[in-house]
Amino acid sequence: GDAVKGCSSIFPWASAILYSQVVFGPAYHPLTGEHMSDVLSAGALDPEDILEADTAGFQNQASADRELRWEEHFRSRAPLGFETLLKGARDYLQRRDFSIDTFFTVNEIIGNFGDALHQCAPAAMIAASLKVEMLFDRDLIAARFATRQLKHLAKRIAQRLEPDMHKGPAEWKIIADRALGRLTVLDEKRHSLTRPAKVDFVVPLCSAGEIDALSSSLSLAFSGLDIELREPADANEGLEEGSWRARRVQAHTRVRGRFRHAQFSLHVYSVCGDISHHGTTRQTSAAELSKLIFASVSNEVKLHFGAEAGFPHVHLSAVEEEVPTGDVAAYLQHLAHASATNTLAN
C-alpha cells in the first residue's frame, strides 16, 4: 500500500497477481496461456512433450485475444486495498457473503501483516480474525491460540502502545471488534458431532499424466493421521500428558466425538476435456479412474474413503465452458452442485 495513506491505501500489485493466477492456471500452457485442450486437440505433440517443445507455434490469435481481454478487465476494476476488506468484512458479518476479492485481500494482508498493522491496524485485525475463523474447523488448538494472541494484540492497540499505527475511521474499529468477538462465539459452539464430519477432496485434472501425482498426494496426506484417527478411548495412549501432541489429539477427539474419522469422498473434475487412457482416445470411466488412483495406496487410505473392500467410489465430472477458467471452475461447480443438492461437506 501507499506509505502515507494509511487505511486508504491500495495494493497496486494485486491486479497483476490475480491476472497471472487466472490466465496461467494449471489448465493453461505455462508459457503461452493457451488452454491445454486446444494444444492437445492440435495433435502435434504428446502432453509430456509440450513443456519441452518450442512454444512459438502455440501462441494463436485466440490465446492472445483472451490474455488481452483479461488484462483490460483487471485494469477496469476498482483497485483492491484496505477498503476492499472493509466492505467485504461488512458483507460477511451481516449476510455471510465472502467474495473472491475479500479472500484475496485477506491473504495479501496476512502475508504482509507487520506492514499492514502499522498502515491500518483495524484492517490487519479484521483480516487476522477472518483467517483465524477458517482454522476452527481444521485445527482447534491453533485457532484458540491465535484467538488469544489476537485479543492480546487488540488490547495493546487499544492502550496505544503502538502510537504510529493508523487507526482509521470509527467504523473500522467496530467491524474489527465484531470480527474478533465472533471468534469467541465460534469457540463456545465447538461441540461433538452427532454424525461423522464429511470432507470432499475436490481435484481438477487436465490429463491422465496427473493421476500418479494425485495418488502420491493422497498417500502423503493420510500418512500423518495415524495418531489423530485413533479411537477416542485410546487417544492419549503413549503420549506425554499435557504435551502439544496430547492436547492436539484431545482437541480432535472433542470435535470428532465418538467417530473415529471423517467420511472422505473424492471428486475429480476434468478441466481439459475428457480424461483419456495413456496412448488412446478412449475415455476413462469413474471406476477405472478409481483403480488408477487407489492402486498404489494403502488399504487404510481406501478405508477412509469408504471402501472396506475393492476401490472407493470416485465422482468424475467434466467441466465444459465457453470461456475456460481452469481450476476455479471445478471448485465453483462443485460448490454450486453440492449446495443445490444439499450435499455440501463440512
Side-chain angles (χ1 to χ4, degrees):
D2 192 301
V4 298
K5 289 188 176 181
C7 292
S8 298
S9 298
I10 62 173
F11 306 154
W13 66 87
S15 293
I17 294 177
L18 274 176
Y19 165 75
S20 64
Q21 290 177 347
V22 170
V23 173
F24 296 107
Y28 302 96
H29 192 282
L31 299 179
T32 68
E34 188 173 10
H35 197 260
M36 291 297 288
S37 62
D38 296 333
V39 177
L40 296 175
S41 64
L45 295 169
D46 292 329
E48 292 79 4
D49 298 331
I50 289 176
L51 298 182
E52 301 177 2
D54 180 6
T55 59
F58 290 137
Q59 183 74 41
N60 58 25
Q61 188 60 40
S63 176
D65 289 346
R66 174 177 170 275
E67 291 185 33
L68 182 61
R69 289 197 303 272
W70 275 114
E71 284 188 86
E72 292 176 347
H73 170 71
F74 282 113
R75 287 198 191 100
S76 65
R77 286 163 51 97
L80 300 180
F82 290 128
E83 293 182 353
T84 306
L85 177 66
L86 174 65
K87 179 182 181 302
R90 186 195 300 121
D91 291 342
Y92 175 68
L93 293 172
Q94 291 177 352
R95 303 190 299 272
R96 295 296 178 264
D97 289 342
F98 201 77
S99 68
I100 296 297
D101 284 354
T102 305
F103 183 78
F104 179 83
T105 308
V106 166
N107 286 337
E108 287 299 302
I109 291 176
I110 294 300
N112 302 275
F113 188 74
D115 292 334
L117 196 60
H118 287 274
Q119 280 277 26
C120 185
M125 295 300 294
I126 292 171
S129 298
L130 294 176
K131 196 70 173 179
V132 171
E133 185 171 331
M134 301 175 191
L135 280 175
F136 270 97
D137 285 325
R138 296 166 47 199
D139 193 330
L140 190 58
I141 287 181
R144 286 173 169 168
F145 175 78
T147 299
R148 291 195 300 269
Q149 294 295 98
L150 280 180
K151 289 181 177 179
H152 176 69
L153 181 58
K155 288 182 180 179
R156 290 190 61 187
I157 295 174
Q159 294 169 355
R160 298 183 180 276
L161 295 182
E162 305 290 347
D164 56 331
M165 291 181 179
H166 293 268
K167 304 303 186 295
E171 184 185 15
W172 285 80
K173 184 179 185 306
I174 295 174
I175 293 180
D177 290 343
R178 285 184 60 193
L180 189 59
R182 179 169 162 77
L183 298 181
T184 302
V185 175
L186 286 174
D187 187 22
E188 294 172 350
K189 289 183 176 181
R190 296 297 98 174
H191 300 300
S192 297
L193 297 173
T194 57
R195 59 172 177 78
K198 295 188 345 183
V199 179
D200 286 351
F201 281 75
V202 181
V203 183
L205 287 185
C206 188
S207 70
E210 298 174 326
I211 294 176
D212 290 341
L214 171 57
S215 179
S216 299
S217 296
L218 289 177
S219 297
L220 182 62
F222 283 88
S223 63
L225 297 182
D226 55 331
I227 294 182
E228 283 84 350
L229 297 182
R230 289 177 180 175
E231 294 290 352
D234 64 354
N236 291 316
E237 181 182 349
L239 299 177
E240 181 182 351
E241 183 177 357
S243 65
W244 176 85
R245 193 69 169 175
R247 294 197 307 271
R248 182 179 177 87
V249 171
Q250 290 170 355
H252 277 276
T253 302
R254 177 188 172 192
V255 174
R256 189 175 67 240
R258 62 184 178 86
F259 304 103
R260 182 172 184 268
H261 57 71
Q263 291 179 343
F264 298 95
S265 60
L266 180 61
H267 299 257
V268 175
Y269 289 84
S270 175
V271 296
C272 298
D274 294 317
I275 299 176
S276 302
H277 282 275
H278 292 283
T280 73
T281 58
R282 185 167 66 86
Q283 298 175 6
T284 304
S285 67
E288 292 170 331
L289 184 61
S290 178
K291 292 179 181 179
L292 292 172
I293 293 173
F294 290 98
S296 60
V297 304
S298 66
N299 290 331
E300 184 177 357
V301 174
K302 296 175 186 175
L303 183 63
H304 295 329
F305 284 87
E308 297 184 4
F311 296 96
H313 176 65
V314 173
H315 304 266
L316 175 61
S317 304
V319 178
E320 298 180 359
E321 302 177 287
E322 291 185 4
V323 180
T325 56
D327 286 10
V328 68
Y331 306 130
L332 293 179
Q333 180 171 314
H334 180 79
L335 289 173
H337 177 73
S339 299
T341 58
N342 198 29
T343 57
L344 195 62
N346 294 88

